[in-house]
Amino acid sequence: MEKVKELLESSKQQFIDELLELLRIPSVSADPKYKPEVARAAEFVKQSLINAGADKAEVFPTKGHPIVYGEKIIDEKLPTIVVYGHYDVQPADPINLWSSPPFEPVIKDGKIYARGSCDDKGQVYMHIKAFDLMMKTNTLPCNIKFMIEGEEEVGSNNLGDFVKANKEKLKGNVILISDTSMLANDTPSIDIGLRGLSYVEVEVVGPNRDLHSGVYGGAVANPINILCKMIADMKDENNHITIPGFYDDVQDVSDADRAEMAKAPFNLNDYKKDLEIGDVIGETGYSTLERTSIRPTLDVNGIWGGYIGEGSKTVLPSKANAKISMRLVPNQNSDKVTAMFKSYFESVAPACVKVKVSAHHGGEPVLTPTDSIAFKASSMAMEKTFGKKPIPTRSGGSIPIVALFEKELGLKSVLMGFGLDSDNIHSPDEHYGIFNYLKGIETIPYFFKYFTELSK
Ligand code: BES
Ligand code: MN
Ligand code: MN
């Protein structure tokens, strides 16, 4: 491991430069305009796997964006670690709120600012460089496979088919993922859970055309008013979601586990200060950390309708729309929750409007084991490089494909992420600490070492 550390020390600048090059490719999966750029990012990832020493690396086309697969098999009898990540990124909008252009990375105060720097190009590239270091120092202790997709940010629609069609190719012992965050740079943590997701779009239609709000206002339903009320009614005075049956499958977390979770360092005042909010709000009876991890949510992601141009226009709009997401926890099921939402929303709609609910992609919640070799190896690896035992935490975010890996491949995942919640992923000025990037590259080879040793 000394050799790895020395080579990392002398390769730092090059490793940073290579990541900046990847960050310059605007691989926005959501916007068809960027399709060639997404393909270019896939080629870049493939080439970097080959340069690092993969036996083979290929770009697999899908109905959507391609999947990059690469491997280095040193001995069939040794364990195989499958690294999953994504090279696609969220749209950069609103671009005018960025301090520097999202696809022209800059380094400021020890952080790399660019879309995808943390989520997830920076974290994927740590694995490629860690692999590179293990190859160059002859210390790769087991087999490695990479599956880096280009559609995570749009729901991984085609990865499921790829996984089902390539079960033999993807055979391994564990999935290793760096696409989550830790508590702080001096407080390492490992995620042991992800929330699931139900995502719907609703349309509320009133009169058959936009009307003069003076001539008709007061007598004809305003779909925006109705939609707002319907949304507001979906939470009661305790911020409990009112959809019947919504909590039926929610697994209670034991008092002992809640007490354990409460030990994670968290300062409510700092939290409020960072977000410039006067107070937090959420489900009665749960702490802020619990509200963002072990409890389900319902949030409007976007709402539109009526006149939003310059000045004022007196109009009673014909239509209103909203995009609504629900974060799910074990053992909720996204199809079931989506169906519940739909029938509830339709049933509470007053006769003065027509409503339509359509479902977007979803994903299932997961819990990863803490008594596994893989968890132990990741804990030991982080303890080695951070000098502190990582704290197990549950994350509020979602990586829908993790549940599918378990179902289709029978493989559990380890969520060893190196980002921070404050890295502004999905927001303007996304960044990733150089400390985090290099710490990840340093830690990953230890995971390989300990996992291989513990597997014996
Ligand atoms: N890397 C994130 C998920 C994440 C972020 C997990 C932070 C834990 C901590 C991932 O790229 C993501 O953004 N997932 C989406 C879901 C997807 C279906 C669009 C999410 O959580 O909104
Ligand atoms: Mn991600
Ligand atoms: Mn993301």
Side-chain angles (χ1 to χ4, degrees):
M1 293 314 256
E2 274 312 301
K3 282 183 288 175
V4 170
K5 195 149 189 191
E6 272 166 34
L7 186 55
L8 170 58
E9 198 52 46
S10 60
S11 314
K12 271 183 197 168
Q13 194 54 48
Q14 193 205 324
F15 287 3
I16 293 168
D17 291 343
E18 286 177 31
L19 172 59
L20 297 189
E21 211 177 315
L22 176 59
L23 292 171
R24 283 189 196 101
I25 307 174
S27 49
V28 179
S29 50
D31 188 343
K33 180 170 91 206
Y34 291 103
K35 202 169 164 88
E37 303 291 347
V38 178
R40 207 152 64 82
E43 279 302 322
F44 186 102
V45 170
K46 178 195 113 175
Q47 198 51 51
S48 51
L49 285 171
I50 289 173
N51 296 348
D55 292 330
K56 62 173 181 197
E58 297 162 81
V59 172
F60 285 87
T62 72
K63 277 182 254 158
H65 299 299
I67 296 159
V68 183
Y69 175 83
E71 63 178 34
K72 175 74 197 175
I73 307 297
I74 54 174
D75 183 345
E76 295 288 352
K77 289 189 287 294
L78 286 168
T80 300
I81 296 170
V82 183
V83 176
Y84 163 80
H86 62 97
Y87 65 82
D88 66 320
V89 301
Q90 285 276 327
D93 311 71
I95 286 188
N96 58 317
L97 295 183
W98 284 74
S99 310
S100 54
F103 299 106
E104 294 171 29
V106 292
I107 296 174
K108 223 170 46 190
D109 306 327
K111 296 170 194 131
I112 302 169
Y113 282 80
R115 170 59 85 231
S117 53
C118 172
D119 185 13
D120 184 31
K121 283 173 172 172
Q123 300 207 62
V124 162
Y125 217 70
M126 295 181 322
H127 285 273
I128 298 176
K129 290 297 104 178
F131 169 52
D132 193 354
L133 286 178
M134 290 188 280
M135 289 301 290
K136 289 215 170 78
T137 55
N138 231 330
T139 56
L140 179 68
C142 64
N143 306 313
I144 181 168
K145 295 177 175 175
F146 285 89
M147 173 175 34
I148 314 296
E149 70 155 318
E151 294 189 302
E152 196 278 340
E153 299 292 8
V154 288
S156 302
N157 288 336
N158 295 293
L159 189 62
D161 284 347
F162 178 81
V163 168
K164 284 179 208 160
N166 290 284
K167 287 191 180 172
E168 193 56 35
K169 189 197 269 292
L170 296 171
K171 247 188 166 156
N173 300 74
V174 69
I175 310 252
L176 176 61
I177 304 175
S178 297
D179 193 21
T180 51
S181 34
M182 357 175 254
L183 289 166
N185 281 354
D186 59 1
T187 316
S189 59
I190 299 173
D191 270 322
I192 54 164
L194 292 165
R195 287 197 283 194
L197 187 66
S198 238
Y199 202 115
V200 295
E201 188 163 331
V202 299
E203 180 168 85
V204 177
V205 183
N208 61 0
R209 56 189 190 276
D210 284 7
L211 302 173
H212 188 288
S213 66
V215 176
Y216 288 95
V220 176
N222 180 324
I224 302 181
N225 292 18
I226 303 271
L227 174 58
C228 289
K229 168 122 174 68
M230 288 174 77
I231 290 168
D233 285 346
M234 275 194 277
K235 296 211 186 142
D236 69 12
E237 66 282 6
N238 291 315
N239 283 302
H240 255 84
I241 295 156
T242 54
I243 300 171
F246 187 84
Y247 292 94
D248 283 1
D249 297 332
V250 171
Q251 198 181 69
D252 274 332
V253 177
S254 71
D255 289 344
D257 282 354
R258 288 177 71 182
E260 196 55 40
M261 282 181 65
K263 287 186 191 155
F266 177 78
N267 183 308
L268 188 58
N269 278 325
D270 291 348
Y271 188 81
K272 292 196 275 194
K273 216 156 127 204
D274 174 46
L275 300 174
E276 297 181 36
I277 51 174
D279 205 354
V280 291
I281 183 170
E283 193 181 356
T284 305
Y286 294 93
S287 70
T288 296
L289 278 183
E290 289 174 337
R291 288 168 180 169
T292 58
S293 60
I294 61 168
R295 300 299 293 170
T297 64
L298 184 150
D299 275 294
V300 181
N301 295 252
I303 184 162
W304 66 101
Y307 182 70
I308 52 166
E310 287 293 317
S312 62
K313 178 190 181 199
T314 49
V315 62
L316 195 163
S318 162
K319 257 198 236 172
N321 299 75
K323 290 183 194 278
I324 298 172
S325 68
M326 289 155 279
R327 295 282 170 174
L328 314 179
V329 300
N331 294 310
Q332 288 179 295
N333 171 275
S334 66
D335 288 337
K336 198 168 157 187
V337 169
T338 300
M340 261 178 211
F341 179 97
K342 187 172 157 59
S343 62
Y344 176 68
F345 199 78
E346 286 166 354
S347 73
V348 296
C352 53
V353 293
K354 292 193 259 318
V355 301
K356 203 164 81 194
V357 178
S358 43
H360 284 282
H361 56 75
E364 305 315 322
V366 283
L367 282 178
T368 63
T370 50
D371 56 358
S372 65
I373 293 173
F375 182 81
K376 192 150 187 221
S378 61
S379 180
M380 286 166 68
M382 279 188 131
E383 184 172 1
K384 179 83 190 171
T385 57
F386 285 85
K388 263 190 201 173
K389 220 183 171 75
I391 301 172
T393 51
R394 278 174 63 172
S395 170
S398 308
I399 309 176
I401 208 70
V402 173
L404 189 129
F405 291 150
E406 199 170 324
K407 184 164 162 247
E408 296 299 332
L409 301 172
L411 292 182
K412 302 272 186 192
S413 296
V414 173
L415 303 163
M416 190 168 69
F418 294 88
L420 296 176
D421 281 347
S422 55
D423 283 342
N424 288 345
I425 64 170
H426 295 206
S427 305
D429 287 345
E430 176 176 353
H431 54 270
Y432 193 41
I434 288 177
F435 168 86
N436 305 67
Y437 179 57
L438 297 175
K439 200 52 121 181
I441 301 174
E442 185 191 343
T443 306
I444 291 161
Y446 282 107
F447 176 85
F448 276 69
K449 174 179 151 68
Y450 296 139
F451 184 77
T452 307
E453 285 172 7
L454 291 169
S455 298
K456 277 180 190 146

